[in-house]
Amino acid sequence: MTPADQAALMAIGEAVDIRPGTNLFRQGDPGTHVFLVESGVVRISHDLPDGKRQVLAFRWAEDVFGMASDGRYRNNADALDRGRVMRFHTEQLQGLLLARPRLQHRFLLKATAEIPLQQHRIILMSKYDVVTKVVAFLLECCSNGQCFDPVTQVLKLPMSRPDIADYMGVATESVSRALGVLERRKIIHRHDMHHLAIDMKRLRECGRL
């Protein structure tokens, strides 16, 4: 993004500080804004008719979310830790993208990059065992610099065990058992509920599907 494009984008944006539990929108709300994560992690989830919840994605720094369908949000967006997001009024953003083709192209690339990732996730979550799913999830988190320290090899997980379970479509106990398996194999070491020491070489070897 050129400095001019970035300045134009920030000129129509509003900074919103977030903390754990901050709700940015609910399923069915009018889709008035599109969001860009500056820092922190946002959970995207969907309420199912039977009262259960499906976690669809976790949005990290530089991720865009909040694209509405038929004028309404189809999912929920909640912050999992402290950070900041920029929000852009949909109509203003549309006008800016029409006026700046390079910026529009960047947003298009961002959106289309999600397609192969979601396709891979569908295969992973439907065809593989829970341990393999957890390995893939940890690799996804380790690819994010704000959560994984490559020097100490410690991963900070801002999401809870139920969040991870709802992301994978399994029981919370299954996630805990899978983490136990990885710990016994000395691939991870749990410092506490949210901090894991990772043997990246062995984790990557486990994640080769």
Side-chain angles (χ1 to χ4, degrees):
M1 188 183 303
T2 66
D5 284 343
Q6 186 173 13
L9 185 61
M10 293 301 105
I12 66 167
E14 176 188 3
V16 179
D17 291 326
I18 56 176
R19 57 184 177 81
T22 298
N23 172 252
L24 296 165
F25 54 80
R26 287 284 175 219
Q27 187 172 320
D29 286 350
T32 55
H33 292 82
V34 174
F35 297 79
L36 170 68
V37 182
E38 285 197 340
S39 61
V41 181
V42 175
R43 179 188 64 218
I44 307 298
S45 65
H46 188 85
D47 297 326
L48 302 173
D50 60 4
K52 296 181 180 180
R53 178 190 68 169
Q54 177 68 53
V55 174
L56 302 174
F58 297 103
R59 296 306 184 199
W60 314 85
E62 298 187 8
D63 282 345
V64 176
F65 67 95
M67 306 297 185
S69 176
D70 296 326
R72 294 193 176 274
Y73 296 119
R74 296 305 182 190
N75 304 306
N76 309 302
D78 299 280
L80 296 181
D81 61 356
R82 291 186 178 277
R84 174 176 289 190
V85 301
M86 293 293 295
R87 67 179 183 184
F88 308 93
H89 195 280
T90 304
E91 292 182 358
Q92 288 183 310
L93 181 60
Q94 288 175 344
L96 179 64
L97 295 181
L98 288 173
R100 291 180 174 268
R102 286 180 300 185
L103 189 57
Q104 183 181 114
H105 181 64
R106 184 175 176 85
F107 268 77
L108 179 61
L109 290 177
K110 199 77 170 172
T112 55
E114 288 291 319
I115 296 175
L117 294 176
Q118 291 301 323
Q119 290 172 337
H120 177 72
R121 180 175 176 269
I122 290 170
I123 295 171
L124 178 70
M125 297 307 165
S126 62
K127 298 298 182 181
Y128 290 92
D129 60 85
V130 179
V131 173
T132 305
K133 293 177 183 179
V134 170
V135 168
F137 172 74
L138 293 178
L139 286 169
E140 177 185 338
C141 294
C142 285
S143 68
N144 188 280
Q146 71 184 50
C147 292
F148 181 66
D149 185 336
V151 176
T152 64
Q153 299 276 288
V154 172
L155 173 65
K156 176 187 175 184
L157 290 173
M159 61 286 295
S160 66
R161 294 288 185 273
D163 285 335
I164 299 171
D166 288 346
Y167 183 57
M168 297 178 180
V170 301
T172 303
E173 295 77 11
S174 298
V175 173
S176 296
R177 284 195 294 269
L179 290 171
V181 169
L182 295 175
E183 190 159 34
R184 287 193 294 275
R185 294 179 185 173
K186 301 188 183 303
I187 297 171
I188 68 169
H189 173 69
R190 289 178 282 189
H191 293 313
D192 55 43
M193 292 291 289
H194 292 281
H195 294 83
L196 307 177
I198 305 286
D199 185 328
M200 280 304 300
K201 180 180 178 181
R202 299 191 65 193
L203 187 68
R204 289 192 182 102
E205 289 173 353
C206 291
R208 291 173 183 165
L209 303 178

